[in-house]
Structures are given as structure tokens and as C-alpha cells.
Amino acid sequence: MKLTPEEEDMLSGKRGKAAEKAMDLLVRYANALGAERFVETYNVAGVPGTSNPWLKHQFEADGGDYRAVFCRFDLDSDEVFDLPKMTGNSCHLQGGMDPELWREQGFSDALHDNFVSDEKNVTALDIRNLKTCTPYIAGNEPKFGEHCAWMESSAVVYCNSVLGSRTNTEGRESTSAAMITHRIPDWGLHTDANRRGHHHIKVDVPVDSIFEWGMLGYFIGEIVQETIPVIEGDLKNADLTRHKHFGAAAASSGGVEMYHMVGITPEAPTAEKAFGGLTPLSHIYYGPEERRKTYENLNIRGKSRDVDFVMLGCPHAALEQIEEVARLLVGRKIHENTALWMFTSRFVKLQADARGFTDIIQGAGGMLMTDTCSAISQIIPPDTKVVALDSAKQTHYLPAFMGVEAWYGTTTDCINAAVSGKWEGELS
């Protein structure tokens, strides 16, 4: 490692115990990656110090509290010390429960007390409690070329691809250390060479709705895995929400951390620019047959048409998605045997509240929740067997996590299922 004088000071303990331990962890991390230096980052998004009571119990001898978890678990330290207030743009991503609807989610008083305690500790360290997987919708949108240290696969792929900022998929250890040191290894997608495309994808069917963008992302991720696709073709309405669903799907079926869409994403004005002089490893075609197979693949876990649970908002819903759900529910009621939960960020929910969308959803028998989702917290209504989803990412994960059947379709398909209790979605 080639350390700057400031980094040497941190590692030697001259900047305090927290900086020493954080830098020690990052040096070990960088050595494992083969990185020779650090980049500075003042935009860090993780889950610093937050934990359930079980993890706190593991460090009972060290105090069994937030500070013990941050020092011993996050920073891999052999001792516990006072934590400094964080500077820069340090953000807390997803939480474990809705701060108001936690009872409806099935959490106990003890777990809620732990949640409240952790949040107070996060706030005391000047870390922003965004509590979302979509920080770019909740007030943290980094600049083009800015080095970040972000967790959450769907946020990472959006950060790299749509915003042109730079981050690898980090963990809680590296992000907690980066909040203290403002350093992250100069490796992977922080470098120009590693942001060039690998595979050429030709899209030969219209991809316009959120539903279609999610399917295309799922198809591409499964094929390219952790490499970078360069996509050309009939892509329409390339807005925030569609990119959000595309990237989340590609990061779930594969491990995509970055993609280029020619003429759409900022580092791909042309295909030649996106590949940066590299020859494509393969040319992949997405047409009617590939579209149908992707739909069938996503719905392979669906058998019974009786829907117990409809879950929307993965990644966390944007305001226009909540507006669409409210519009679809006007004058209708959720079926007595079906639950509807929709997830978003606190930031967006305040806007939904102000516009009356939350009241409409609740009036129909649904709930608009924040902070978490069914996959993150592994929470679903009791006795749920069949789920309807408009997220390819959630369709990928929830059956494995919760042992349920799942149907993937449009938001309209899902709302119709919530009202009728039956899945009637089909590929048109």
C-alpha cells in the first residue's frame, strides 16, 4: 500500500483510536483486493453499528450495545472505544422495521426498543437515517465521477450506471470504516479501465414499462453475471424508476454492478465509447422468444392462483409508483383473504402522505410502509403461501427466503390480485 501522510497518521493512531482501527481494517481489505492506494470518499452509505439483540449478545462482555457492535463487529477491532461524529455525507440505508407499523409487521416490543435505541445512536454520530435502498431518491444523489462507498446491490448499480458515480458493492465493515477515514480502496469500478463494457446486448422488442425493464434486467444479469453489458435497441421511457427496476433485477439474477445503455447512460454516448476499445466478449440477442422465456422463468415458482399477499416497492417505490397504486385502488377494496404491503423511503412517504396517496391505500385496506421490505426483514403476513410481485428482484429472492410461491407481473396485475384474491396476470 502507498499511503499518504494523512493515512499514515490514521494508521499510527495519531488521529485517534477509531481512525486507527478503521484504517487498519481498510489496509487489510485493500491488500486482499490487490489495491495499491486509496481514493477519498465523502459519500458513504451503509448500516453502521445497527444490529439485532442476538448480535449484541455476542459482544455482551464488551458492553453488548451499539458501540460494542460498531467497534468489534463493524471495525473488526479487539477493543471498544468512543466513536467520533461522522463528517461528510454518511447515510444509513435500510432499517429492520417500519417505525410506526412494526406491530403489523409482527415485531415484538423488545425488537422495537432495540430499533429505537440504534436509531438514536446513529443520529448522535451525525449519520443521516435515510433508511432506504434508494438513497438517490431520498436526498443523496452523488455527482458524476464522484467516488462513493455504498452498500446495497440495486443502489450500487444505479450509482455507477445512471449517475456515473463510482462505487463497488461494499459491506458494512468497509462502509463503517470509510465513514471514519473517508477512504476506500482504489480498485474495481473506481478505475477507468474497469468501467468498460464486456458484452453487447441487442434488444429487438419494445421495452417501455417497468414490467418490461425488470424482465430485461433479469435476462441480462443471468447471462453476463458480474461483467458489464452494453445495451442497444428499443428502449423507451428511460426514467429513474425503470432504471431502478432494471438494475435491481440484473444485480439479483447476476451480479451486475454497472451497465451501459447506448445514448442513455452518461458513459455510453456511443457503443464504441462504452467498450473503450475492447472487443465484445459476446453478442447477445433479446427478442420475443427470450422475453417469453424470461417471463416463464420468473413465474416458475407460481402454482396456486389464490394470492395471500401482494408486495410492492422493491426497490423502494418512487412517488409516481405510489400514485399509480393509489389511482388503481380508488373506489376498490383489498380482498379479505389478501394483504397489500407497499414499501418506500421515509422521504417519499412524507410526499405520499401530503398528496393523499397514503390515505387512499390505507382506505382500500393496504399499508404503505417504510425502512425495510419483506426480503430484508423476512417479514410477510401470517400463513402467506402465495405472493404477487411487480419486482423481478423480489420474485428472485422472496420464495427462497420465505418458502412461498410467487407470481411476477405488472403493477396493475398485482393490484387486481389484491382486490380479487386471484392471480390473472399473463404475458401479452
Side-chain angles (χ1 to χ4, degrees), residues 7 12 14 39 56-57 61 78 119 138 142 201 207 222 247 251 263 277 302 308 327 346 354 357 366 385:
E7 291 160 0
S12 68
K14 292 180 181 178
V39 293
K56 288 188 172 76
H57 180 71
D78 55 1
E119 183 151 308
I201 316 292
V207 175
E222 210 166 27
D308 308 303
R327 177 179 56 79
R346 297 178 183 184
F357 303 151
K385 296 181 177 62

Side-chain angles (χ1 to χ4, degrees), residues 305-419:
R305 297 262 171 176
D306 295 324
V307 174
D308 308 303
F309 177 40
V310 176
M311 200 222 95
L312 307 174
C314 174
H316 278 170
L319 184 63
E320 55 267 31
Q321 292 178 280
I322 299 172
E323 181 178 14
E324 180 186 7
V325 168
R327 177 179 56 79
L328 291 169
L329 284 173
V330 169
R332 305 170 82 186
K333 289 290 185 182
I334 306 301
H335 193 275
E336 61 182 359
N337 296 327
T338 308
L340 169 65
W341 292 358
M342 187 172 195
F343 294 90
T344 190
S345 65
R346 297 178 183 184
F347 179 83
V348 172
K349 185 175 184 294
L350 287 173
Q351 299 173 64
D353 292 347
R355 287 164 174 76
F357 303 151
T358 305
D359 288 341
I360 293 171
I361 293 169
Q362 291 177 345
M367 288 188 278
L368 182 61
M369 299 175 168
T370 68
D371 285 32
T372 189
C373 73
S374 289
I376 286 290
S377 292
Q378 299 190 21
I379 49 168
I380 57 177
D383 302 319
T384 294
K385 296 181 177 62
V386 183
V387 184
L389 304 154
D390 67 352
S391 162
K393 174 178 180 176
Q394 199 76 202
T395 307
H396 181 84
Y397 285 124
L398 204 58
F401 288 171
M402 304 304 295
V404 294
E405 296 178 28
W407 294 104
Y408 173 73
T410 66
T411 303
T412 299
D413 290 336
C414 291
I415 294 301
N416 288 341
V419 171

Side-chain angles (χ1 to χ4, degrees), residues 120-392:
K120 287 179 179 177
N121 281 292
V122 169
T123 302
L125 294 178
D126 287 347
I127 299 169
R128 299 165 66 198
N129 271 305
L130 297 187
K131 293 296 180 74
T132 181
C133 57
T134 56
Y136 47 88
I137 306 179
N140 182 4
E141 185 175 314
K143 298 176 182 177
F144 180 85
E146 181 178 355
H147 292 287
C148 303
W150 281 18
M151 290 177 63
E152 166 53 37
S153 60
S154 70
V156 165
V157 68
Y158 189 95
C159 181
N160 283 313
S161 310
V162 184
L163 301 178
S165 308
R166 300 189 171 205
T167 182
N168 297 307
T169 302
E170 299 294 345
R172 66 179 290 162
E173 298 84 358
S174 56
T175 51
S176 292
M179 287 182 186
I180 296 170
T181 63
H182 300 302
R183 299 295 191 278
I184 204 72
D186 186 13
W187 177 85
L189 293 172
H190 290 285
T191 69
D192 291 340
N194 289 323
R195 297 175 70 85
R196 296 180 294 178
H198 301 113
H199 300 274
H200 181 259
I201 316 292
K202 174 63 177 174
V203 178
D204 203 26
V205 292
V207 175
D208 47 12
S209 65
I210 294 170
F211 166 75
E212 296 287 355
W213 278 71
M215 282 208 301
L216 177 62
Y218 198 80
F219 167 81
I220 290 174
E222 210 166 27
I223 291 178
V224 307
Q225 290 298 302
E226 296 180 354
T227 55
I228 299 176
V230 177
I231 306 149
E232 288 188 280
D234 198 0
L235 304 169
K236 303 183 189 326
N237 306 316
D239 60 8
L240 180 154
T241 303
R242 285 164 176 79
H243 278 296
K244 174 166 68 81
H245 276 256
F246 174 90
S252 301
S253 61
V256 175
E257 296 179 53
M258 184 175 185
Y259 60 85
H260 297 292
M261 290 184 174
V262 177
I264 296 175
T265 55
E267 294 175 60
T270 64
E272 291 74 20
K273 183 71 173 177
F275 282 108
L278 296 179
T279 300
L281 298 176
S282 68
H283 294 273
I284 299 162
Y285 178 76
Y286 182 77
E289 184 62 25
E290 289 76 16
R291 175 178 177 265
R292 173 161 291 280
K293 286 182 178 178
T294 302
Y295 179 80
E296 291 170 352
N297 186 22
L298 280 162
N299 283 291
I300 199 169
R301 303 170 191 86
K303 296 179 175 60
S304 172
R305 297 262 171 176
D306 295 324
V307 174
D308 308 303
F309 177 40
V310 176
M311 200 222 95
L312 307 174
C314 174
H316 278 170
L319 184 63
E320 55 267 31
Q321 292 178 280
I322 299 172
E323 181 178 14
E324 180 186 7
V325 168
R327 177 179 56 79
L328 291 169
L329 284 173
V330 169
R332 305 170 82 186
K333 289 290 185 182
I334 306 301
H335 193 275
E336 61 182 359
N337 296 327
T338 308
L340 169 65
W341 292 358
M342 187 172 195
F343 294 90
T344 190
S345 65
R346 297 178 183 184
F347 179 83
V348 172
K349 185 175 184 294
L350 287 173
Q351 299 173 64
D353 292 347
R355 287 164 174 76
F357 303 151
T358 305
D359 288 341
I360 293 171
I361 293 169
Q362 291 177 345
M367 288 188 278
L368 182 61
M369 299 175 168
T370 68
D371 285 32
T372 189
C373 73
S374 289
I376 286 290
S377 292
Q378 299 190 21
I379 49 168
I380 57 177
D383 302 319
T384 294
K385 296 181 177 62
V386 183
V387 184
L389 304 154
D390 67 352
S391 162

